[in-house]
Amino acid sequence: MAWQTLLYDRDGHVGTVTVNRPDALNALNTTVFAELSELFSEIAVDPDVRVIVLKGAGEKSFVAGADIKEMTGMTRQQAEARSWTGMRLYDQMRRMPQPLVASIQGYALGGGMLIAMACDIRVASTAATFGYPEIRLGIFPGTGGTVLIDRLIGPAAARAICLLGDRFPAERAYQLGLVNRLVEPGLLVAETADVAATLAGYSPVAIRELKSVLNASLELDFATAREVEIDAYGRAFESEDRVEGTTAFVEKRKPDFKGR
Ligand code: DAK
């Protein structure tokens, strides 16, 4: 399929999705939202893909936010509809059976920081810049962005990020736990590949079930989330991959997981 705003490439078990609007610093317009949703739906049922890397085209930006130019003439109804579209996309990403790794160079602002947070792991270059500048535009991260950052990094830091609208460097994002691995710009590609290879080597069944529990923990109350955990654990436990994993340990060899 030829995408207008994306590039997609699969190398072995790793699918790489690139938001490809470098002239607009990869800002998320309606077409990007629609195409990402369609592409992720296709990848979700592709058994050859075990890990998804999300990145932005060019050196300067991961994603500089929602497309402000497109937003200018919107009515409240259109804005709310777009908020739902964005929210559904971020939910879809979190619920993908495969883990998503955001590979972040340059700007990750507004909807760009949010789409990175909808990924499971964030690898960033020390040259990356984060922030929620929406308050400067007379809005706020209204696509689930305020709620999600609050859950991910805690209310005190989240509140300041949302209210002040400051841009902050990758080092600070790393201190906050928003970035999981931080490397010099020249090492971003290699570090991303390393994380992707690690994840691709694990059981896709265990990863899928684990993600469902982490999502439940984010979205549900404690007691219900634990019930989800027991169920998911049971499903992982009865997989062929679990037999392979434990047998490989006993036989002192590397497991060869099949995703069943
Ligand atoms: N949207 C559209 N175009 C953008 C853009 C954006 N977010 N960011 C950059 N661009 C475009 C610029 O307009 C420029 O295009 P031309 O004007 O040359 O055609 C090109 O990318 C290069 O940008 P600059 O010339 O500005 O480059 P600089 O290096 O000088 O500055 C910058 C880089 C990232 C600091 C600056 O571009 C900037 O401040 N960009 C905006 C960052 C921002 O405010 N991001 C948050 C966007 S708001 C909601 C839905 C979604 C959201 C909220 C509510 N609802 C529907 C309720 C989410 C909102 C956001 O994400």
Side-chain angles (χ1 to χ4, degrees), residues 121-180:
I121 305 280
R122 284 157 291 282
V123 182
S125 134
T126 47
T129 303
F130 293 78
Y132 269 164
E134 283 91 335
I135 195 71
R136 295 166 190 262
L137 301 169
I139 49 174
F140 61 88
T143 340
T146 45
V147 177
L148 185 61
I149 194 170
D150 197 76
R151 301 275 164 97
L152 288 190
I153 66 169
R159 200 162 276 247
I161 287 169
C162 294
L163 282 168
L164 294 174
D166 290 335
R167 298 205 293 257
F168 53 93
E171 181 67 43
R172 175 72 182 136
Y174 182 65
Q175 287 165 357
L176 291 168
L178 202 56
V179 162
N180 307 104

Side-chain angles (χ1 to χ4, degrees), residues 5-252:
T5 61
L6 306 177
L7 301 171
Y8 179 61
D9 166 63
R10 183 171 68 78
D11 182 9
H13 287 309
V14 182
T16 298
V17 177
T18 306
V19 179
N20 188 29
R21 298 186 72 214
D23 292 345
L25 304 186
N26 305 317
L28 305 170
N29 64 10
T30 308
T31 310
V32 181
F33 279 118
E35 290 195 336
L36 280 173
S37 180
E38 198 178 333
L39 178 53
F40 285 134
S41 297
E42 288 177 15
I43 296 174
V45 293
D46 184 344
D48 290 328
V49 179
R50 292 190 178 186
V51 183
I52 303 158
V53 171
L54 178 67
K55 64 190 196 60
E59 295 295 312
K60 200 172 164 185
S61 182
F62 173 68
V63 168
D67 192 309
I68 301 170
K69 291 172 187 164
E70 197 182 62
M71 224 185 270
T72 316
M74 272 185 191
T75 63
R76 174 184 172 163
Q77 283 73 19
Q78 288 167 327
E80 285 183 2
R82 190 157 87 164
S83 249
W84 278 111
T85 304
M87 226 176 291
R88 276 192 290 269
L89 173 70
Y90 305 136
D91 287 349
Q92 180 184 5
M93 290 169 64
R94 269 198 309 283
R95 290 175 187 149
M96 290 289 286
Q98 302 96 336
L100 280 93
V101 180
S103 184
I104 305 163
Q105 82 290 19
Y107 296 110
L109 300 175
M113 188 164 85
L114 178 49
I115 203 168
M117 287 192 296
C119 295
D120 299 288
I121 305 280
R122 284 157 291 282
V123 182
S125 134
T126 47
T129 303
F130 293 78
Y132 269 164
E134 283 91 335
I135 195 71
R136 295 166 190 262
L137 301 169
I139 49 174
F140 61 88
T143 340
T146 45
V147 177
L148 185 61
I149 194 170
D150 197 76
R151 301 275 164 97
L152 288 190
I153 66 169
R159 200 162 276 247
I161 287 169
C162 294
L163 282 168
L164 294 174
D166 290 335
R167 298 205 293 257
F168 53 93
E171 181 67 43
R172 175 72 182 136
Y174 182 65
Q175 287 165 357
L176 291 168
L178 202 56
V179 162
N180 307 104
R181 295 218 193 162
L182 183 65
V183 291
E184 293 298 318
L187 296 175
L188 182 63
V189 171
E191 189 70 15
T192 304
D194 182 64
V195 171
T198 299
L199 291 164
Y202 294 148
S203 158
V205 180
I207 292 270
R208 181 181 70 224
E209 297 300 340
L210 170 59
K211 275 193 66 170
S212 76
V213 179
L214 293 167
N215 288 333
S217 178
L218 195 68
E219 295 164 5
L220 305 175
D221 65 274
F222 188 75
T224 314
R226 283 196 310 184
E227 285 174 24
V228 171
E229 185 173 46
I230 298 278
D231 267 356
Y233 182 75
R235 284 191 294 276
F237 197 83
E238 71 179 359
S239 68
E240 287 177 28
D241 278 354
R242 191 276 304 170
V243 176
E244 167 63 9
T246 49
T247 307
F249 175 80
V250 173
E251 294 175 354
K252 299 188 186 300

